[in-house]
Amino acid sequence: MDLTSWTTVYALAALAALCVALMVWQWPRLGRPGWVRVAARLVAIGVTQLVTTTTLFAAVNADYQFYGSWGELFGTGTTAPAALTGTNSGGIGPISNIHTKLIQPGDTSMLNHVTGIPTGPAAVNGRVESVRVIGRRTGVIDPAFVYLPPQYFQKAYHRQRFPVIVAMSGYPGSIFNLAQNLRVWQTSQALMKQGKMQPTVIVEIRPTIAPPRDTECVNVPGGPQTETFLAKDLPDALKSGYRVGHSATAWGALGYSSGGTCALQLAMRNPNAYTSAAALSPDFRIKEDLTTGNLFGSGIVRQKRIDSHDLFWRLKHLPIPQVSVLVAASKHGDENIYPKAQEFLRLAKSPMRTASIFPDTGVHNFNTWTSEMPASLTWQSQQLIFPQDVVPRHLPKHPGEKSAVRAGGEPSPAPSEHRQKR
């Protein structure tokens, strides 16, 4: 049975009820004196508690999709690339460019629980694809959802590259949270239709590349290389499989909670990969705890690694990168983050450009982050430069697309209203 299936939840609930009934039925016998019966009572209570707790966990996980499979939960998921498949014209579909080896078709079962999936012609409504991203350097394989706007499939844009926003979940969240609870691409789709966002590819991915461990967007010495995957492998894979910008000025990172922390880290530590970051309720220092384990190694370089992931330390001691950052935190409800966000913005001098969303109230949850999403996406779209380069003529076109070239063989330019500059 699948971990996210409600059949699994119902089966566990039935087992929990059976354990409770058996314990009540057998308790008179277990209540007699003797160390054997004392041990039996402890076992009965322990098993009943374990099954009940597991049932609750399974129910919450089925609703929020923290872990998509048993392999993700226990860290034993397959790392073998999937076989490539064909393409279709709209709705949920396999990858657009079947010639890439770094973007593979992914499991679409989680998308069945997401509302608002575009249907009909992709050139009218866009398309959402479930993929697996293959890390060429790290060997990491991470699931992702990719939203392609309608313009991606339109003749006028058939050779045009698009800006990208990489949206990252918190811990232990999954891409389901981004799609269903935070509604990133659904919000961006509405904003694009309203003319408040330029056509943009939205990529939803989890920064937890070695579940259940929380690697916090760090290259762990001798362990998972999360930063390399997100800063190098992910852009390379997407550039190989989609018509997206090759310059960092077309790339932005966005996230909530620890995903927001990761977005800031990526932009400030890798401005050659991401030039903007929108962070909702982030932290500004990477901290170790039971879920992270040792992130920075040991020895004389440990403190140096810790400092390099402390954004306050970076702003005080290192050259300030030329990136744009937005920080969101509630004045009441996010009291632990709000004063730190103010301090961060105070230290962020030119050439860094800053913006903020500071609502009066809002706790650390999806209701708050969803309310901040339209303003965050609109701001980030304004930071991204719509790529001026086009793909070479020899690359394969999508099904149903025809060449659009002017006399003399030059490619048709993208419509001028989308040639946005900072």
Side-chain angles (χ1 to χ4, degrees), residues 377-393:
L377 287 168
T378 301
W379 171 88
Q380 188 149 62
S381 180
Q382 295 169 353
Q383 314 310 309
L384 303 179
I385 297 178
F386 200 97
Q388 301 301 298
D389 58 331
V390 295
V391 298
R393 284 191 195 87

Side-chain angles (χ1 to χ4, degrees), residues 19-308:
C19 288
V20 172
L22 287 174
M23 187 172 67
V24 172
W25 181 39
Q26 293 294 323
W27 194 257
R29 295 178 59 186
L30 298 176
R32 296 173 184 173
W35 67 269
V36 174
R37 289 184 173 82
V38 170
R41 289 197 296 270
L42 292 175
V43 170
I45 293 172
V47 170
T48 303
Q49 292 284 353
L50 177 62
V51 175
T52 303
T53 302
T54 302
T55 303
L56 293 174
F57 163 79
V60 172
N61 188 70
D63 198 22
Y64 289 96
Q65 303 280 318
F66 292 120
Y67 298 96
S69 67
W70 296 104
E72 286 186 17
L73 176 63
F74 296 110
T76 59
T78 178
T79 59
L84 295 175
T85 62
T87 63
N88 62 16
S89 59
I92 304 171
I95 60 177
S96 299
N97 183 350
I98 63 172
H99 296 282
T100 180
K101 295 181 180 179
L102 301 179
I103 297 292
Q104 303 274 333
D107 182 11
T108 62
S109 60
M110 278 197 294
L111 283 176
N112 296 329
H113 302 283
V114 177
T115 58
I117 296 292
T119 58
V124 176
N125 300 315
R127 186 165 81 194
V128 176
E129 300 181 342
S130 178
V131 303
R132 296 200 300 168
V133 180
I134 314 299
R136 180 169 58 86
R137 298 171 184 82
T138 61
V140 169
I141 297 180
D142 212 23
F145 295 150
V146 178
Y147 170 74
L148 303 172
Q151 292 83 355
Y152 191 93
F153 303 95
Q154 294 171 6
K155 184 169 64 175
Y157 292 82
H158 83 285
R159 289 180 56 203
Q160 186 66 46
R161 300 189 191 277
F162 288 78
V164 182
I165 293 177
V166 175
M168 292 172 287
S169 63
Y171 177 84
S174 71
I175 54 178
F176 176 83
N177 290 338
L178 293 164
Q180 178 63 18
N181 299 320
L182 203 59
R183 306 192 70 75
V184 178
W185 60 258
Q186 293 93 326
T187 304
S188 66
Q189 182 185 42
L191 292 171
M192 291 177 205
K193 289 182 178 180
Q194 297 167 15
K196 296 180 180 180
M197 274 187 72
Q198 58 187 325
T200 305
V201 173
I202 307 295
V203 180
E204 298 176 339
I205 198 162
R206 59 179 190 185
T208 307
I209 65 170
R213 185 179 183 181
D214 179 12
T215 51
E216 286 284 336
C217 210
V218 171
N219 280 347
V220 181
Q225 303 294 288
T226 311
E227 184 176 16
T228 296
F229 174 76
L230 293 171
K232 295 182 179 180
D233 283 348
L234 176 62
D236 284 356
L238 292 170
K239 291 171 187 176
S240 76
Y242 295 99
R243 299 195 322 273
V244 294
H246 284 202
S247 170
T249 57
W251 286 71
L254 176 148
Y256 67 89
S257 192
S258 61
T261 304
C262 190
L264 289 177
Q265 293 277 337
L266 284 174
M268 292 186 64
R269 290 173 54 86
N270 302 274
N272 60 333
Y274 299 89
T275 53
S276 72
L280 314 183
S281 302
D283 203 345
F284 302 92
R285 296 183 174 95
I286 300 296
K287 302 174 183 177
E288 295 175 334
D289 57 29
L290 291 176
T291 64
T292 66
N294 186 342
L295 294 176
F296 302 110
S298 58
I300 59 175
V301 297
R302 173 177 168 81
Q303 188 58 49
K304 182 178 180 180
R305 294 191 183 109
I306 294 174
D307 289 340
S308 70

